[in-house]
Amino acid sequence: MTWIVLVPCEMLGVQARLGYVIFDTRDSLASPELVPTMITLGIIGYFIDLCARMIVRRLAPSAT
């Protein structure tokens, strides 16, 4: 959930980072920069989710 909230917050409040890059490239119609940024965002989110699931399985095996 933290990652889902972090990116939109970056779109609104900062001048750097992934959320801002997505917002900025979308406004300037820079698709060659937008697509890799979105793919990077998805990959990072996937690995964060994967790590969180592994931690939960180790700490609370009966919860899965």
Side-chain angles (χ1 to χ4, degrees):
M1 285 303 264
T2 304
W3 188 251
I4 294 170
V5 172
L6 178 68
V7 174
C9 289
E10 287 179 351
M11 288 179 173
L12 299 174
V14 297
Q15 299 294 318
R17 305 205 190 234
L18 284 173
Y20 176 77
V21 170
I22 290 173
F23 204 63
D24 187 49
T25 54
R26 182 196 63 137
D27 287 344
S28 62
L29 301 174
S31 295
E33 296 169 11
L34 178 62
V35 173
T37 304
M38 291 175 62
I39 291 171
T40 301
L41 190 65
I43 291 170
I44 292 170
Y46 173 78
F47 282 112
I48 288 173
D49 181 65
L50 186 65
C51 290
R53 288 174 190 257
M54 289 172 45
I55 291 168
V56 167
R57 282 190 194 125
R58 285 191 185 244
L59 296 179
S62 61
T64 58

